Amino acid sequence: GAVVSQHPSRVICKSGTSVKIECRSLDFQATTMFWYRQFPKQSLMLMATSNEGSKATYEQGVEKDKFLINHASLTLSTLTVTSAHPEDSSFYICSAVTPKGGAYEQYFGPGTRLTVT
Amino acid sequence: GDSVTQMEGPVTLSEEAFLTINCTYTATGYPSLFWYVQYPGEGLQLLLKATKADDKGSNKGFEATYRKETTSFHLEKGSVQVSDSAVYFCAQNPSNTGKLIFGQGTTLQVKP
C-alpha cells in the first residue's frame, strides 16, 4: 500500500528557533498534501493545503508567515515552524492525496511530535 | 458550515462486548464519509469508508452505514478485542478534494 513518511518523528527545539518537518510520499506521486495539527486528546485541525508548484492555501487563523509550507516536488512537502514558541508544541501530521478511480485516496504520515522548550 | 460530531469518550468496554460509536455530520452536498483509527503512538489509518448514501463500509469486523436521512455514519463492531483500543475519528470529505473534516475523536478502551 501507499506509504507516507515524516521526518523527524520527534524534535525538541529551543524557543525562537525554526524547525523543518518533511513529508514524503514514498511510492506514489501526491498532487496534494495536507498539514494537520493535533493537540493532546483532541481532533486534527487542518492547517493548510499544499499543492506541488504553487503556494499553499492556509486555513483561517493559521499564520502563513509562521508555518511556511513548501511543496517542491510531487513526493515532498515541508513545513517549517519559524521562531517557534512553547505554544507551537504539538503533533503535526501530514497526508498525501493521489487520484484513484475518479476519487481521491488519502494517506497519512505517522506524525511529528514537536516540543518547544 | 460542514462539520462532524462524534460521541464523547472515553468508551470503556469489556472484551467481546458490542461497540457503537455515534457520528453525525452536517454538509451542504453529498460527502464521502470515513472512519480512521489511531493506535497509541501511531499515525492515522483508514478503517473504512462509504462514498454514497446507503453504502456500508466494513473492515476488520467494523461496519458503518452511510445514512443520508439521519446524516449519520455510526461505527459498530459486534465483539471488540483488547487490540481495538485506540482513538477513532469520523471524517467527511465534502468537496471530494481530499480535504477532510474530522470529528473530535472517541477513545475506546477495551479491558480483558
Side-chain angles (χ1 to χ4, degrees):
Chain A
V3 178
V4 175
S5 70
Q6 280 184 243
H7 178 80
S9 57
R10 289 177 176 272
V11 58
I12 300 173
C13 71
K14 292 186 176 180
S15 187
T17 62
S18 295
V19 174
K20 180 186 285 189
I21 302 170
E22 292 185 348
C23 176
R24 292 181 185 272
S25 56
L26 297 185
D27 49 3
F28 66 98
Q29 292 185 329
T31 52
T32 301
M33 290 183 173
F34 296 97
W35 285 95
Y36 295 86
R37 181 173 179 177
Q38 184 179 27
F39 293 96
K41 298 185 179 180
Q42 294 188 30
S43 187
L44 282 74
M45 180 192 79
L46 179 65
M47 298 175 66
T49 303
S50 172
N51 293 300
E52 186 265 338
S54 63
K55 289 184 178 180
T57 304
Y58 291 82
E59 296 299 304
Q60 193 172 13
V62 178
E63 298 176 60
K64 60 182 178 183
D65 293 331
K66 181 166 189 61
F67 298 100
L68 300 179
I69 291 172
N70 183 280
H71 196 151
S73 75
L74 286 171
T75 60
L76 173 64
S77 176
T78 60
L79 168 68
T80 301
V81 183
T82 62
S83 186
H85 288 94
E87 58 266 29
D88 299 324
S89 299
S90 193
F91 194 54
Y92 292 88
I93 301 173
C94 73
S95 69
V97 176
T98 187
K100 184 175 179 181
Y104 290 91
E105 291 286 340
Q106 183 162 180
Y107 303 95
F108 283 83
T112 297
R113 175 77 60 194
L114 170 64
T115 303
V116 184
T117 61
Chain B
D2 299 330
S3 67
V4 175
T5 302
Q6 290 178 236
M7 63 186 288
E8 287 194 23
V11 174
T12 303
L13 296 173
S14 297
E15 205 165 22
E16 298 184 2
F18 185 87
L19 168 71
T20 299
I21 300 178
N22 290 337
C23 171
T24 57
Y25 66 92
T26 59
T28 52
Y30 301 98
S32 295
L33 301 174
F34 306 82
W35 276 101
Y36 283 86
V37 58
Q38 186 178 33
Y39 297 103
E42 298 184 16
L44 270 72
Q45 299 175 29
L46 178 64
L47 181 60
L48 53 84
K49 68 179 181 182
T51 57
K52 61 183 188 296
D54 300 324
D55 268 2
K56 177 186 283 188
S58 61
N59 186 25
K60 299 181 182 180
F62 291 90
E63 292 183 341
T65 301
Y66 190 142
R67 301 285 188 200
K68 183 179 148 189
E69 62 276 13
T70 53
T71 61
S72 65
F73 193 54
H74 304 321
L75 182 68
E76 296 182 336
K77 186 174 185 181
S79 176
V80 293
Q81 305 300 313
V82 173
S83 57
D84 294 327
S85 298
V87 182
Y88 292 82
F89 291 94
C90 185
Q92 65 161 305
N93 177 5
S95 56
N96 199 30
T97 60
K99 184 174 173 178
L100 292 173
I101 298 172
F102 285 89
Q104 65 268 43
T106 302
T107 299
L108 170 65
Q109 186 175 36
V110 180
K111 296 187 174 180

